[in-house]
């Protein structure tokens, strides 16, 4: 495998379907080589909330869809319990290929490195440009550090709704006073970080319900913002 990586170059003006098709051939970093396939985001272009995880897992890599494994099923349940319509949500990951260490029995998840986040970031920016969501939810520390701040701490700052400018939006446009913005321009986007569903699943039995309840409580903040 080659260790070289460079920022991806998504096509413009093609919508989510065109981006997904182009991402299938992405070679911006070396993760495409051992992975089964690119796992792009899923959901409607009209989605009001975008949920961003770290990277696809084993089942996602095999099926080519995000959040379809145990963590995805827990996320679906948490969204329902927080009264967020799953049809109003778009789910994706900061990195679109599964990074893992192979073993004789299974493939063990390995967190993506900064080079993988940089290489894949243009795909995420392209998704935001199409979706123009009202709220972005960072699922876990990797997504939060990538999209909010490298110093962000999930344990201290989860569940806080913050004004946010999606990456790729020109700063000059984002900084315009509301009165000077075109009526058709996107409105304020908000960001919130919470625990990744996989972290809830890894929580010991005695603390898992409390961890799940905390995830739902954070998502209820999002639900109120969407109301």
């Amino acid at each position: 495998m080659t260790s070289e990586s460079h920022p991806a170059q998504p096509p413009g003006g093609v919508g989510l379907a065109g981006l997904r098709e182009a991402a299938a051939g992405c070679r911006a970093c070396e993760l495409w080589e051992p992975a089964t396939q690119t796992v792009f985001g899923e959901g409607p272009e009209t989605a009001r909330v975008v949920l961003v995880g770290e990277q696809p897992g084993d089942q996602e890599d095999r099926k080519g869809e995000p959040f379809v494994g145990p963590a995805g099923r827990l996320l679906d349940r948490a969204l329902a319990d927080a009264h967020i319509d799953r049809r109003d949500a778009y789910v994706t990951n900061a990195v679109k290929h599964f990074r893992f260490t192979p073993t004789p029995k299974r493939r063990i998840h390995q967190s993506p490195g900064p080079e993988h986040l940089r290489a894949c970031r243009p795909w995420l920016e392209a998704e935001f440009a199409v979706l123009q969501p009202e709220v972005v939810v960072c699922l876990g520390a990797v997504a939060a550090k990538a999209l909010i701040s490298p110093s962000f701490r999930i344990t201290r700052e989860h569940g806080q709704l913050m004004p946010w400018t999606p990456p790729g939006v020109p700063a000059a446009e984002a900084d315009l006073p509301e009165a000077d913005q075109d009526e058709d321009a996107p409105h304020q986007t908000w960001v919130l970080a919470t625990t990744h569903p996989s972290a809830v699943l890894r929580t010991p039995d005695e603390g898992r319900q409390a961890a799940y309840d905390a995830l739902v409580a954070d998502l209820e903040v999002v639900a109120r913002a969407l109301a």
Side-chain angles (χ1 to χ4, degrees), residues 32-121:
W32 69 273
E33 295 187 61
T36 304
Q37 58 196 312
T38 302
V39 181
F40 205 69
E42 287 283 349
E45 290 197 6
T46 55
R48 299 174 65 198
V49 58
V50 174
L51 300 110
V52 183
E54 175 191 289
Q55 66 172 359
D58 181 77
Q59 291 190 34
E60 288 79 8
D61 171 77
R62 298 182 191 279
K63 294 182 179 179
E65 299 175 29
F67 289 95
V68 292
R73 291 191 289 275
L74 186 141
L75 177 61
D76 284 348
R77 180 159 62 93
L79 287 169
D81 286 347
H83 304 291
I84 295 175
D85 192 333
R86 183 64 178 76
R87 295 169 299 180
D88 246 353
Y90 181 90
V91 292
T92 190
N93 285 294
V95 172
K96 312 299 192 201
H97 283 111
F98 180 34
R99 189 186 191 199
F100 61 91
T101 300
T103 71
K105 290 188 176 180
R106 63 190 183 96
R107 303 185 297 176
I108 299 174
H109 165 277
Q110 186 179 359
S111 293
E115 69 277 17
H116 306 123
L117 290 163
R118 285 194 299 269
C120 219
R121 188 178 178 89

